[in-house]
Amino acid sequence: MMEEPEDDRLDQSLRDTFSDFDLPPSGHIWSGIEGHLSAMPGPPRKVPLLLLLPAVGLVGVAVGWLLPHPTEPTPNSQPAVTTQAPARPDPQPTKELTAYKAPQLPPASQPIHAVPVVSASPVAKRVRPVLAASVDRKASATAIPEPIDSATGIAATQPVVAEVPVVYTAPVATEPSPAQVVPSSQLENSALVTPPTEATNLRLRDTAGSAHSKYAAELPKQSFKNESLREWRPEYRVPKHRLEERGGRLRRIRNSITKHWQHLFGPRRAGQPAS
Amino acid sequence: MLGVARRYARTLPEAEDILQDAFVKVFTHLTEFRAEGTLEGWIRRIVVTTAINHWQSGRLRRQTQGATLDDIPDPPATDSSAFDRLNVAEVLALMEKLPDGCRLVLMLYAVDGYSHREISELLNIQESTSKAQLSKARKQLQHLYLQQNNYIRL
């Protein structure tokens, strides 16, 4: 029991002795430490998982965005008629439409004073759907390659819209101004020559009289032909009652396999050998 | 820190080797410092652990060279405050004469403040062995001190 304070005193004297003991390290110790540290391989890089997961998500979204998406045809936006009908090469009506030439009028005893190019309001109302149809036709024509003329290298059938002049669908003026009136004698070489509609044909028929009856008889046929090409195209209805069965190919295959299975191993066939 | 390494080493070059290895460990494991204590205390513990590892690696070589003082009789009662009059070099010279086990336990317990449990874990010995080694180290140190004083008086 008496030794414990003596031991504590010894420990305390040793602690006091070494408390101020300090030795300055020499320079070669630090060079040795640097050599050891440089020889050791660096610590492995930790993968930042918090950044990696959003990066993977972004890459996935980007890849999904860039992949080609199959465009499903909607029945309202693009009917099957518009893609099918112009596919047939029918150069003759387009030639008539594009390279329309006003037929030469025979010299009349009474010259026609003026033929208003700008049609009346009921005519304009009828023309607008024709234009819309031509725009649709242009849109469909972009998807279908057109036959190219070997001699000229230009597409044989040009878009109809290019040939339809603006004046043809301009707002109707009640009284045609002199600038807008084109004499019928200049119709042949004029750039504003437009295919006449039925209203204009009727007016021509009235103004030209009997001398132009032959010409007047031709015009309705041509205009009817053009309109019949544009407006009376056959429209095929998309069968909506079959839409629900789309994508059920696996189901149909499974049903057919089931039917064959029942046919082969059904109770009738299985019962036959027994009976 | 070289002083700490010197207390556990027998020579200065050995202490420098211990210090060098200890600082390599410090720089490589610097990210593991959790700032629960002081950085000095953390580095000191690394130095002490490295010194013990050095001693354990060369234990077999030293066992053949070290003198055994187990049969030394108990010294007469000496004044413990007599060590206060000794300087560091003299105390180190006395302690270098102690066996390694006794010297390490005395240093760890008396100077660095380790408990017997920590010493037993560091040196892979029993706690009772640590206590016995400490008691023996104290007696031997006093005996060595008396021997030195008697030689000086004579």
Side-chain angles (χ1 to χ4, degrees), chain B residues 1-82:
Chain B
M1 291 298 158
L2 185 59
V4 176
R6 177 66 184 88
R7 280 193 277 115
Y8 289 91
R10 290 195 174 270
T11 58
L12 185 60
E14 188 182 357
E16 289 176 348
D17 289 344
I18 290 169
L19 185 71
Q20 185 172 306
D21 293 346
F23 268 91
V24 170
K25 287 181 186 176
V26 165
F27 286 120
T28 52
H29 297 90
L30 196 59
T31 56
E32 298 175 11
F33 175 61
R34 287 175 290 182
E36 291 175 352
T38 60
L39 180 65
E40 182 187 357
W42 184 66
I43 295 174
R44 182 187 290 267
R45 289 182 73 89
I46 289 175
V47 172
V48 170
T49 309
T50 307
I52 290 170
N53 292 336
H54 265 256
W55 169 75
Q56 286 174 341
S57 62
R59 187 193 302 181
L60 293 175
R61 179 173 53 84
R62 288 197 184 104
Q63 277 180 351
T64 57
Q65 297 174 355
T68 55
L69 299 176
D70 294 339
D71 51 351
I72 293 175
D74 290 343
T78 55
D79 188 7
S80 299
S81 60

Coordinates of all heavy atoms in Angstrom, one line a residue, chain B residues 1-82:
Chain B
M1 N 8.0 14.8 -32.4 CA 7.6 13.4 -32.6 C 8.9 12.5 -32.6 O 8.8 11.3 -32.3 CB 6.8 13.2 -33.9 CG 5.5 13.9 -33.8 SD 4.5 13.1 -32.5 CE 3.3 14.4 -32.2
L2 N 10.0 13.1 -33.0 CA 11.2 12.3 -33.0 C 11.6 11.9 -31.6 O 12.1 10.8 -31.3 CB 12.4 13.1 -33.7 CG 13.7 12.3 -33.9 CD1 13.5 11.1 -34.7 CD2 14.7 13.2 -34.5
G3 N 11.3 12.8 -30.6 CA 11.5 12.5 -29.2 C 10.7 11.3 -28.8 O 11.2 10.4 -28.0
V4 N 9.4 11.3 -29.2 CA 8.6 10.1 -28.8 C 9.1 8.9 -29.4 O 9.2 7.8 -28.7 CB 7.1 10.4 -29.4 CG1 6.3 9.2 -29.1 CG2 6.6 11.6 -28.7
A5 N 9.5 8.9 -30.7 CA 10.1 7.7 -31.3 C 11.4 7.3 -30.6 O 11.7 6.1 -30.5 CB 10.3 8.0 -32.8
R6 N 12.2 8.3 -30.2 CA 13.5 8.0 -29.6 C 13.3 7.3 -28.2 O 14.1 6.5 -27.8 CB 14.2 9.3 -29.3 CG 15.5 9.2 -28.6 CD 16.5 8.5 -29.5 NE 17.8 8.2 -28.7 CZ 18.0 7.2 -27.9 NH1 17.1 6.3 -27.7 NH2 19.2 7.1 -27.3
R7 N 12.2 7.6 -27.5 CA 11.9 6.9 -26.2 C 11.7 5.4 -26.4 O 12.0 4.6 -25.6 CB 10.7 7.6 -25.5 CG 11.1 8.9 -24.8 CD 9.9 9.3 -23.9 NE 8.9 10.0 -24.6 CZ 7.6 9.5 -24.7 NH1 7.3 8.4 -24.2 NH2 6.8 10.3 -25.3
Y8 N 11.1 5.1 -27.5 CA 10.8 3.7 -27.8 C 11.9 3.0 -28.5 O 11.9 1.7 -28.6 CB 9.5 3.5 -28.5 CG 8.3 3.9 -27.7 CD1 7.8 5.2 -27.7 CD2 7.7 2.9 -26.9 CE1 6.7 5.5 -26.9 CE2 6.6 3.2 -26.1 CZ 6.1 4.5 -26.1 OH 5.0 4.9 -25.4
A9 N 12.8 3.7 -29.1 CA 13.9 3.1 -29.9 C 15.2 3.1 -29.0 O 15.3 3.9 -28.1 CB 14.1 3.9 -31.2
R10 N 16.0 2.3 -29.4 CA 17.3 2.2 -28.7 C 18.3 3.2 -29.2 O 19.2 3.6 -28.5 CB 17.8 0.8 -28.7 CG 17.0 -0.2 -27.9 CD 17.7 -1.5 -27.6 NE 16.9 -2.4 -26.7 CZ 17.1 -2.3 -25.4 NH1 17.9 -1.5 -24.8 NH2 16.3 -3.1 -24.6
T11 N 18.3 3.5 -30.4 CA 19.2 4.4 -31.0 C 18.5 5.5 -31.8 O 17.3 5.3 -32.1 CB 20.2 3.6 -32.0 OG1 19.3 3.0 -33.0 CG2 21.0 2.6 -31.3
L12 N 19.2 6.5 -32.1 CA 18.6 7.6 -32.9 C 18.3 7.2 -34.4 O 17.2 7.6 -34.8 CB 19.5 8.8 -32.9 CG 19.0 10.1 -33.5 CD1 17.7 10.6 -32.8 CD2 20.0 11.2 -33.5
P13 N 19.1 6.5 -35.1 CA 18.7 6.1 -36.4 C 17.5 5.2 -36.4 O 16.6 5.4 -37.3 CB 19.9 5.3 -36.9 CG 21.1 5.9 -36.2 CD 20.5 6.2 -34.8
E14 N 17.4 4.4 -35.4 CA 16.1 3.6 -35.4 C 14.9 4.5 -35.1 O 13.8 4.2 -35.7 CB 16.3 2.6 -34.2 CG 15.1 1.5 -34.2 CD 15.3 0.6 -33.0 OE1 16.3 0.6 -32.3 OE2 14.4 -0.3 -32.9
A15 N 15.1 5.5 -34.3 CA 14.0 6.4 -34.0 C 13.6 7.2 -35.3 O 12.4 7.4 -35.6 CB 14.4 7.4 -32.9
E16 N 14.6 7.5 -36.1 CA 14.3 8.2 -37.4 C 13.6 7.3 -38.4 O 12.7 7.8 -39.1 CB 15.6 8.7 -38.0 CG 16.3 9.9 -37.2 CD 17.6 10.3 -37.8 OE1 18.1 9.5 -38.6 OE2 18.1 11.3 -37.4
D17 N 13.9 6.1 -38.4 CA 13.2 5.1 -39.2 C 11.7 5.0 -38.8 O 10.8 5.0 -39.6 CB 13.9 3.7 -39.2 CG 15.2 3.7 -39.9 OD1 15.4 4.7 -40.7 OD2 16.0 2.8 -39.7
I18 N 11.6 5.0 -37.4 CA 10.2 4.9 -36.9 C 9.4 6.1 -37.3 O 8.3 6.1 -37.7 CB 10.3 4.7 -35.4 CG1 10.8 3.3 -35.0 CG2 8.9 4.9 -34.8 CD1 11.1 3.1 -33.6
L19 N 10.1 7.3 -37.2 CA 9.4 8.6 -37.5 C 9.0 8.6 -39.0 O 7.9 9.1 -39.3 CB 10.3 9.7 -37.1 CG 9.6 11.1 -37.3 CD1 8.6 11.3 -36.2 CD2 10.7 12.2 -37.2
Q20 N 9.9 8.2 -39.8 CA 9.7 8.2 -41.2 C 8.5 7.3 -41.6 O 7.5 7.7 -42.3 CB 10.9 7.7 -42.0 CG 10.8 7.8 -43.5 CD 12.2 7.5 -44.1 OE1 13.2 8.1 -43.8 NE2 12.2 6.6 -45.0
D21 N 8.5 6.1 -41.1 CA 7.3 5.2 -41.4 C 6.0 5.8 -40.8 O 5.0 5.6 -41.4 CB 7.6 3.8 -40.8 CG 8.8 3.1 -41.5 OD1 9.2 3.6 -42.6 OD2 9.3 2.1 -41.0
A22 N 6.2 6.4 -39.6 CA 5.0 6.9 -39.0 C 4.4 8.0 -39.8 O 3.1 8.1 -40.0 CB 5.3 7.4 -37.6
F23 N 5.2 8.9 -40.3 CA 4.6 10.0 -41.1 C 4.1 9.6 -42.5 O 3.2 10.2 -43.0 CB 5.7 11.1 -41.3 CG 5.6 12.1 -40.2 CD1 6.3 12.0 -39.0 CD2 4.7 13.2 -40.3 CE1 6.1 13.0 -38.0 CE2 4.6 14.2 -39.4 CZ 5.3 14.0 -38.2
V24 N 4.7 8.5 -43.0 CA 4.1 8.0 -44.2 C 2.7 7.5 -43.9 O 1.8 7.7 -44.7 CB 5.0 6.8 -44.8 CG1 4.3 6.1 -45.9 CG2 6.3 7.4 -45.3
K25 N 2.5 6.8 -42.8 CA 1.2 6.4 -42.4 C 0.2 7.6 -42.2 O -0.9 7.6 -42.6 CB 1.2 5.6 -41.1 CG 1.8 4.2 -41.3 CD 1.8 3.5 -40.0 CE 2.5 2.1 -40.0 NZ 2.6 1.5 -38.7
V26 N 0.8 8.6 -41.6 CA 0.0 9.8 -41.3 C -0.5 10.4 -42.6 O -1.7 10.7 -42.8 CB 0.8 10.9 -40.5 CG1 0.1 12.2 -40.6 CG2 1.0 10.4 -39.1
F27 N 0.3 10.5 -43.6 CA -0.1 11.2 -44.9 C -1.0 10.3 -45.7 O -1.9 10.8 -46.4 CB 1.1 11.6 -45.7 CG 1.8 12.8 -45.2 CD1 3.1 12.7 -44.8 CD2 1.2 14.0 -45.0 CE1 3.8 13.8 -44.3 CE2 1.8 15.1 -44.5 CZ 3.1 15.0 -44.1
T28 N -0.8 9.0 -45.6 CA -1.7 8.1 -46.4 C -3.0 7.9 -45.7 O -4.0 7.6 -46.4 CB -1.0 6.7 -46.6 OG1 -0.6 6.2 -45.3 CG2 0.2 6.8 -47.5
H29 N -3.1 8.0 -44.4 CA -4.4 7.9 -43.7 C -4.9 9.2 -43.2 O -5.6 9.2 -42.2 CB -4.2 6.8 -42.6 CG -3.9 5.5 -43.1 ND1 -2.6 5.1 -43.2 CD2 -4.6 4.4 -43.5 CE1 -2.5 3.8 -43.7 NE2 -3.8 3.4 -43.8
L30 N -4.6 10.2 -43.8 CA -5.0 11.5 -43.2 C -6.5 11.7 -43.3 O -7.1 12.4 -42.5 CB -4.3 12.7 -44.0 CG -4.3 14.0 -43.4 CD1 -3.6 14.0 -42.0 CD2 -3.5 15.0 -44.3
T31 N -7.1 11.1 -44.3 CA -8.6 11.2 -44.4 C -9.3 10.5 -43.3 O -10.5 10.8 -43.1 CB -9.0 10.7 -45.8 OG1 -8.6 9.3 -45.9 CG2 -8.4 11.5 -46.9
E32 N -8.6 9.6 -42.6 CA -9.3 8.9 -41.6 C -9.3 9.6 -40.3 O -9.9 9.1 -39.3 CB -8.7 7.5 -41.4 CG -8.8 6.6 -42.7 CD -8.0 5.3 -42.5 OE1 -7.6 5.0 -41.4 OE2 -7.8 4.6 -43.5
F33 N -8.7 10.7 -40.2 CA -8.6 11.5 -39.0 C -10.0 12.1 -38.8 O -10.5 12.9 -39.6 CB -7.6 12.6 -39.1 CG -7.6 13.5 -37.9 CD1 -7.3 13.1 -36.6 CD2 -7.8 14.9 -38.1 CE1 -7.3 13.9 -35.5 CE2 -7.8 15.8 -37.0 CZ -7.5 15.3 -35.7
R34 N -10.6 11.8 -37.7 CA -12.0 12.2 -37.4 C -12.2 13.4 -36.6 O -13.3 13.8 -36.2 CB -12.8 11.0 -36.8 CG -13.1 9.9 -37.8 CD -13.7 8.8 -37.2 NE -12.8 8.1 -36.3 CZ -13.0 7.0 -35.6 NH1 -14.2 6.5 -35.6 NH2 -12.1 6.4 -34.8
A35 N -11.1 14.0 -36.2 CA -11.1 15.3 -35.4 C -11.8 15.2 -34.1 O -12.4 16.1 -33.6 CB -11.7 16.4 -36.3
E36 N -11.8 13.9 -33.6 CA -12.4 13.8 -32.2 C -11.4 14.3 -31.2 O -11.8 14.6 -30.1 CB -12.7 12.3 -32.0 CG -13.9 11.9 -32.9 CD -14.2 10.4 -32.7 OE1 -13.4 9.7 -32.1 OE2 -15.2 9.9 -33.3
G37 N -10.1 14.2 -31.5 CA -9.1 14.7 -30.6 C -8.2 15.7 -31.3 O -8.6 16.1 -32.4
T38 N -7.1 15.9 -30.8 CA -6.1 16.8 -31.4 C -5.3 16.0 -32.5 O -5.2 14.8 -32.4 CB -5.1 17.4 -30.4 OG1 -4.4 16.3 -29.8 CG2 -5.9 18.2 -29.4
L39 N -4.9 16.8 -33.5 CA -4.1 16.1 -34.5 C -2.7 15.6 -34.0 O -2.2 14.6 -34.4 CB -3.8 17.1 -35.7 CG -3.0 16.6 -36.9 CD1 -3.7 15.5 -37.6 CD2 -2.7 17.7 -37.8
E40 N -2.2 16.4 -33.0 CA -0.9 16.0 -32.4 C -1.1 14.6 -31.6 O -0.3 13.7 -31.7 CB -0.5 17.0 -31.4 CG 0.9 16.7 -30.7 CD 1.2 17.7 -29.7 OE1 0.5 18.7 -29.5 OE2 2.3 17.5 -29.0
G41 N -2.2 14.5 -30.9 CA -2.5 13.2 -30.2 C -2.6 12.1 -31.2 O -2.1 10.9 -30.9
W42 N -3.3 12.3 -32.3 CA -3.5 11.3 -33.3 C -2.1 10.9 -33.9 O -1.8 9.7 -34.1 CB -4.4 11.8 -34.4 CG -4.8 10.8 -35.5 CD1 -5.5 9.7 -35.3 CD2 -4.4 10.9 -36.8 NE1 -5.6 9.1 -36.5 CE2 -5.0 9.8 -37.5 CE3 -3.7 11.8 -37.6 CZ2 -4.9 9.5 -38.8 CZ3 -3.6 11.6 -39.0 CH2 -4.1 10.5 -39.6
I43 N -1.3 11.8 -34.2 CA 0.0 11.5 -34.8 C 0.9 10.8 -33.8 O 1.7 9.9 -34.1 CB 0.7 12.8 -35.3 CG1 -0.1 13.4 -36.5 CG2 2.1 12.5 -35.8 CD1 0.4 14.8 -37.0
R44 N 0.8 11.2 -32.5 CA 1.6 10.6 -31.4 C 1.2 9.1 -31.3 O 2.1 8.3 -31.2 CB 1.3 11.3 -30.1 CG 2.1 10.8 -29.0 CD 1.7 11.5 -27.7 NE 2.1 12.9 -27.6 CZ 3.2 13.3 -27.1 NH1 4.0 12.5 -26.5 NH2 3.5 14.6 -27.1
R45 N -0.1 8.8 -31.4 CA -0.5 7.4 -31.3 C 0.0 6.6 -32.5 O 0.4 5.5 -32.3 CB -2.0 7.3 -31.2 CG -2.6 7.8 -29.9 CD -4.1 7.6 -29.9 NE -4.5 6.2 -29.8 CZ -4.7 5.7 -28.6 NH1 -4.5 6.4 -27.5 NH2 -5.0 4.4 -28.5
I46 N 0.1 7.3 -33.6 CA 0.6 6.6 -34.8 C 2.1 6.3 -34.6 O 2.6 5.2 -34.9 CB 0.3 7.4 -36.1 CG1 -1.2 7.3 -36.4 CG2 1.1 6.8 -37.3 CD1 -1.6 8.2 -37.6
V47 N 2.8 7.3 -34.1 CA 4.2 7.1 -33.8 C 4.5 5.9 -32.8 O 5.4 5.1 -33.0 CB 4.9 8.4 -33.4 CG1 6.3 8.2 -33.0 CG2 4.8 9.4 -34.5
V48 N 3.7 5.9 -31.8 CA 3.9 4.9 -30.8 C 3.5 3.5 -31.3 O 4.3 2.5 -31.1 CB 3.0 5.2 -29.6 CG1 2.9 4.0 -28.6 CG2 3.4 6.5 -28.8
T49 N 2.5 3.4 -32.1 CA 2.1 2.2 -32.7 C 3.2 1.7 -33.7 O 3.5 0.5 -33.7 CB 0.8 2.3 -33.4 OG1 -0.2 2.9 -32.6 CG2 0.2 1.0 -33.9
T50 N 3.7 2.6 -34.4 CA 4.8 2.2 -35.4 C 6.0 1.8 -34.7 O 6.7 0.8 -35.1 CB 5.1 3.5 -36.3 OG1 3.9 4.0 -36.9 CG2 6.0 3.1 -37.4
A51 N 6.3 2.4 -33.5 CA 7.5 2.0 -32.8 C 7.3 0.6 -32.2 O 8.2 -0.2 -32.2 CB 7.7 3.0 -31.6
I52 N 6.1 0.3 -31.7 CA 5.9 -1.0 -31.2 C 5.9 -2.1 -32.3 O 6.4 -3.2 -32.1 CB 4.5 -1.0 -30.5 CG1 4.6 -0.2 -29.2 CG2 4.0 -2.4 -30.2 CD1 3.3 0.1 -28.5
N53 N 5.4 -1.7 -33.5 CA 5.5 -2.6 -34.6 C 7.0 -2.9 -35.0 O 7.3 -4.0 -35.4 CB 4.8 -2.1 -35.9 CG 3.3 -2.0 -35.6 OD1 2.7 -2.8 -34.8 ND2 2.6 -1.1 -36.4
H54 N 7.8 -1.8 -34.9 CA 9.2 -2.0 -35.2 C 9.8 -3.0 -34.2 O 10.6 -3.8 -34.5 CB 9.9 -0.7 -35.1 CG 10.1 0.0 -36.5 ND1 11.3 0.0 -37.1 CD2 9.2 0.6 -37.3 CE1 11.2 0.6 -38.3 NE2 9.9 1.0 -38.4
W55 N 9.4 -2.7 -32.9 CA 10.0 -3.6 -31.9 C 9.6 -5.1 -32.1 O 10.3 -6.0 -31.9 CB 9.5 -3.1 -30.5 CG 9.8 -4.1 -29.4 CD1 11.1 -4.3 -28.8 CD2 8.9 -4.9 -28.8 NE1 11.0 -5.2 -27.9 CE2 9.7 -5.7 -27.8 CE3 7.6 -5.2 -28.9 CZ2 9.1 -6.6 -27.0 CZ3 7.0 -6.1 -28.0 CH2 7.7 -6.8 -27.1
Q56 N 8.3 -5.3 -32.4 CA 7.8 -6.6 -32.6 C 8.4 -7.3 -33.8 O 8.6 -8.5 -33.8 CB 6.2 -6.6 -32.8 CG 5.5 -6.3 -31.6 CD 4.0 -6.2 -31.8 OE1 3.6 -5.9 -32.9 NE2 3.2 -6.3 -30.7
S57 N 8.8 -6.5 -34.8 CA 9.4 -7.1 -36.0 C 10.8 -7.5 -35.7 O 11.3 -8.5 -36.3 CB 9.4 -6.1 -37.2 OG 10.2 -5.0 -36.8
G58 N 11.5 -6.9 -34.8 CA 12.9 -7.2 -34.5 C 13.0 -7.9 -33.1 O 14.0 -7.8 -32.5
R59 N 11.9 -8.5 -32.6 CA 11.9 -9.0 -31.2 C 12.9 -10.2 -31.1 O 13.6 -10.3 -30.2 CB 10.5 -9.4 -30.8 CG 10.4 -9.9 -29.4 CD 9.1 -10.6 -29.1 NE 7.9 -9.7 -29.4 CZ 6.7 -10.1 -29.2 NH1 6.4 -11.3 -28.7 NH2 5.7 -9.4 -29.5
L60 N 12.8 -11.1 -32.1 CA 13.6 -12.3 -32.0 C 15.1 -12.0 -32.0 O 15.9 -12.6 -31.2 CB 13.3 -13.2 -33.2 CG 11.9 -13.9 -33.2 CD1 11.7 -14.6 -34.5 CD2 11.7 -14.8 -32.0
R61 N 15.5 -11.0 -32.8 CA 16.9 -10.6 -32.8 C 17.3 -10.0 -31.5 O 18.4 -10.3 -31.0 CB 17.1 -9.5 -33.9 CG 18.5 -9.0 -34.1 CD 18.6 -8.1 -35.3 NE 17.6 -7.1 -35.3 CZ 17.7 -5.9 -34.7 NH1 18.8 -5.7 -34.0 NH2 16.8 -5.0 -34.8
R62 N 16.4 -9.2 -30.8 CA 16.8 -8.6 -29.6 C 16.8 -9.6 -28.4 O 17.5 -9.3 -27.4 CB 15.8 -7.4 -29.3 CG 16.0 -6.3 -30.3 CD 15.4 -5.0 -29.7 NE 15.5 -3.9 -30.6 CZ 14.5 -3.5 -31.4 NH1 13.3 -4.0 -31.4 NH2 14.7 -2.5 -32.2
Q63 N 15.9 -10.6 -28.5 CA 15.9 -11.5 -27.4 C 17.2 -12.2 -27.2 O 17.6 -12.6 -26.1 CB 14.8 -12.6 -27.7 CG 13.4 -12.1 -27.3 CD 12.4 -13.2 -27.6 OE1 12.6 -14.2 -28.2 NE2 11.1 -12.9 -27.1
T64 N 17.9 -12.4 -28.3 CA 19.2 -13.1 -28.1 C 20.2 -12.1 -27.5 O 21.2 -12.5 -26.9 CB 19.7 -13.6 -29.5 OG1 19.8 -12.4 -30.4 CG2 18.8 -14.6 -30.0
Q65 N 20.0 -10.8 -27.8 CA 21.0 -9.8 -27.3 C 20.7 -9.3 -25.9 O 21.6 -8.9 -25.2 CB 21.1 -8.7 -28.3 CG 21.7 -9.1 -29.7 CD 21.6 -8.0 -30.7 OE1 21.1 -6.9 -30.4 NE2 22.1 -8.3 -31.9
G66 N 19.4 -9.2 -25.6 CA 19.0 -8.5 -24.4 C 19.4 -9.3 -23.2 O 19.3 -10.5 -23.1
A67 N 19.7 -8.6 -22.2 CA 20.1 -9.2 -20.9 C 18.9 -9.4 -20.0 O 18.0 -8.5 -20.0 CB 21.1 -8.3 -20.2
T68 N 18.8 -10.5 -19.4 CA 17.7 -10.8 -18.6 C 18.0 -10.3 -17.2 O 19.0 -10.6 -16.6 CB 17.4 -12.3 -18.6 OG1 18.5 -12.9 -18.2 CG2 17.0 -12.8 -19.9
L69 N 17.0 -9.5 -16.6 CA 17.2 -9.0 -15.3 C 16.2 -9.6 -14.3 O 15.8 -8.9 -13.3 CB 17.1 -7.5 -15.3 CG 18.1 -6.7 -16.2 CD1 17.8 -5.2 -16.2 CD2 19.5 -7.0 -15.7
D70 N 15.7 -10.8 -14.7 CA 14.6 -11.3 -13.9 C 15.1 -11.7 -12.5 O 14.4 -11.7 -11.5 CB 14.0 -12.6 -14.5 CG 13.3 -12.2 -15.8 OD1 12.9 -11.0 -15.9 OD2 13.1 -13.0 -16.7
D71 N 16.4 -12.1 -12.4 CA 16.9 -12.5 -11.1 C 17.5 -11.4 -10.3 O 18.3 -11.7 -9.4 CB 17.9 -13.6 -11.4 CG 19.0 -13.2 -12.4 OD1 18.8 -12.1 -13.0 OD2 20.0 -13.9 -12.5
I72 N 17.2 -10.2 -10.7 CA 17.7 -9.1 -9.9 C 16.9 -9.0 -8.6 O 15.7 -9.0 -8.6 CB 17.6 -7.8 -10.7 CG1 18.5 -7.8 -11.9 CG2 17.9 -6.6 -9.8 CD1 18.4 -6.6 -12.8
P73 N 17.6 -8.9 -7.5 CA 16.9 -8.8 -6.2 C 16.3 -7.4 -6.0 O 16.6 -6.5 -6.7 CB 18.0 -9.1 -5.2 CG 19.2 -8.6 -5.8 CD 19.0 -9.0 -7.3
D74 N 15.3 -7.3 -5.1 CA 14.6 -6.1 -4.9 C 15.6 -5.0 -4.4 O 16.4 -5.3 -3.4 CB 13.5 -6.2 -3.9 CG 12.3 -7.0 -4.5 OD1 12.3 -7.2 -5.7 OD2 11.5 -7.5 -3.7
P75 N 15.6 -3.9 -5.0 CA 16.6 -2.8 -4.6 C 16.2 -2.3 -3.2 O 15.0 -2.3 -2.9 CB 16.5 -1.8 -5.7 CG 15.2 -1.9 -6.3 CD 14.8 -3.4 -6.1
P76 N 17.1 -1.7 -2.5 CA 16.7 -1.0 -1.3 C 15.8 0.2 -1.6 O 15.8 0.7 -2.7 CB 18.0 -0.6 -0.6 CG 19.0 -0.6 -1.7 CD 18.5 -1.6 -2.7
A77 N 15.1 0.7 -0.6 CA 14.2 1.8 -0.8 C 15.0 3.0 -1.2 O 15.9 3.4 -0.6 CB 13.4 2.1 0.4
T78 N 14.5 3.6 -2.3 CA 15.2 4.8 -2.8 C 14.1 5.9 -2.9 O 12.9 5.7 -3.0 CB 15.8 4.6 -4.2 OG1 14.7 4.1 -5.1 CG2 16.9 3.6 -4.2
D79 N 14.7 7.1 -2.9 CA 13.8 8.3 -3.1 C 13.4 8.4 -4.5 O 14.2 8.6 -5.4 CB 14.5 9.5 -2.5 CG 13.6 10.7 -2.5 OD1 12.3 10.5 -2.7 OD2 14.0 11.8 -2.2
S80 N 12.1 8.4 -4.8 CA 11.6 8.6 -6.2 C 11.9 9.9 -6.7 O 12.0 10.1 -8.0 CB 10.1 8.3 -6.3 OG 9.9 6.9 -5.8
S81 N 12.0 10.9 -5.9 CA 12.2 12.3 -6.4 C 13.6 12.4 -6.9 O 14.0 13.5 -7.4 CB 11.9 13.3 -5.3 OG 12.7 13.1 -4.2
A82 N 14.4 11.4 -6.6 CA 15.8 11.5 -7.1 C 15.9 11.5 -8.6 O 16.9 12.0 -9.1 CB 16.6 10.3 -6.5

